[in-house]
Amino acid sequence: AQSVAQPEDQVNVAEGNPLTVKCTYSVSGNPYLFWYVQYPNRGLQFLLKYITGDNLVKGSYGFEAEFNKSQTSFHLKKPSALVSDSALYFCAVRAPPGAGSYQLTFGKGTKLSVIP
Amino acid sequence: DSGVTQTPKHLITATGQRVTLRCSPRSGDLSVYWYQQSLDQGLQFLIQYYNGEERAKGNILERFSAQQFPDLHSELNLSSLELGDSALYFCASSPGTSGETQYFGPGTRLLVL
């Protein structure tokens, strides 16, 4: 079974500082990894994904994520946080093609608060 | 805007009732996924349809059912509703069965009183 852990329920960071939201995963085979963001009363917006290739993946709104196979991690990062980045962030994992189901398994989410 | 639409946005109903949630996928997407988001369970996968056929089932209760129609829109039917069914229900779509990125709709917020 696949699983995702987001060890921090909340992350607080000052505006302009770098931010990191942590994610570790467990899946059979090569993982497909995703980050989504959810603003209040809104749906999930896709930020970025890792399928294969470069371990550093760049996504929307200046976010990037680093895939680390040995640590089974996929941490979300941004060099300089904005107040508008404050939201709920979800890491998700999916099994690779041929594994059967392509459902996403989500972590519990991390609430990011960027303080002005 | 992801291109996935869901109706209604909000639904308030009573225990024991039945409701239908509707989802229209992005143009060209053949797969539809349903997820439930609640405070205690988080985001959980319910069921997937591809081009009208059921492809995968997750933690979907027997009181819940879904279908995908020839025009590719999907409906999630929730019956004999209980207080614990109150949640945000999301639909997502992707191009095929192995389409990597799922794009989510805005969700339907269900409140069972």
Side-chain angles (χ1 to χ4, degrees), chain A residues 94-111:
Chain A
R94 205 208 78 183
S101 170
Y102 301 121
Q103 67 194 68
L104 290 174
T105 298
F106 287 88
K108 290 190 178 299
T110 298
K111 183 178 178 182

Side-chain angles (χ1 to χ4, degrees), chain B residues 46-107:
Chain B
L46 295 178
I47 196 163
Q48 177 201 356
Y49 277 81
Y50 172 75
N51 204 20
E53 294 189 3
E54 182 185 303
R55 273 305 171 104
K57 256 184 174 178
N59 298 321
I60 188 165
L61 300 171
E62 284 191 16
R63 300 183 285 109
F64 295 0
S65 65
Q67 53 184 327
Q68 188 179 26
F69 295 86
D71 67 352
L72 301 176
H73 90 271
S74 178
E75 292 181 357
L76 179 67
N77 300 296
L78 314 177
S79 62
S80 303
L81 285 166
E82 302 174 359
L83 297 178
D85 297 327
S86 296
L88 199 46
Y89 291 85
F90 287 112
C91 164
S93 74
S94 69
T97 54
S98 60
E100 300 109 352
T101 302
Q102 295 177 26
Y103 291 92
F104 283 74

Side-chain angles (χ1 to χ4, degrees), chain B residues 13-48:
Chain B
T13 188
T15 54
Q17 294 298 303
R18 173 191 169 94
V19 297
T20 297
L21 313 183
R22 183 188 168 105
C23 166
S24 291
R26 295 186 321 156
S27 177
D29 284 357
L30 299 178
S31 271
V32 168
Y33 308 77
W34 286 96
Y35 293 85
Q36 179 195 59
Q37 184 180 32
S38 61
L39 283 173
D40 51 346
Q41 298 289 331
L43 262 164
Q44 293 214 321
F45 167 72
L46 295 178
I47 196 163
Q48 177 201 356

Side-chain angles (χ1 to χ4, degrees), chain A residues 6-107:
Chain A
Q6 292 180 244
E8 300 154 319
D9 289 338
Q10 174 139 3
V11 169
N12 297 322
V13 63
E15 186 177 22
N17 281 4
L19 70 87
T20 299
V21 182
K22 295 180 181 177
C23 170
T24 58
Y25 66 90
S26 173
V27 70
S28 296
N30 295 321
Y32 281 30
L33 294 158
F34 303 82
W35 277 100
Y36 287 85
V37 59
Q38 185 178 28
Y39 296 98
N41 301 314
R42 302 282 295 276
L44 278 76
Q45 293 181 33
F46 168 71
L47 276 180
L48 51 79
K49 67 184 179 191
Y50 172 83
I51 304 296
T52 186
D54 233 348
N55 287 345
L56 187 63
V57 178
K58 292 191 185 297
S60 307
Y61 313 119
F63 284 94
E64 56 191 28
E66 188 166 12
F67 171 66
N68 187 316
K69 188 170 184 177
S70 62
Q71 297 186 1
T72 61
S73 67
F74 188 56
H75 300 330
L76 181 70
K77 301 182 181 186
K78 188 173 182 181
S80 178
L82 300 172
V83 172
S84 57
D85 293 330
S86 299
L88 191 54
Y89 290 80
F90 289 95
C91 180
V93 68
R94 205 208 78 183
S101 170
Y102 301 121
Q103 67 194 68
L104 290 174
T105 298
F106 287 88

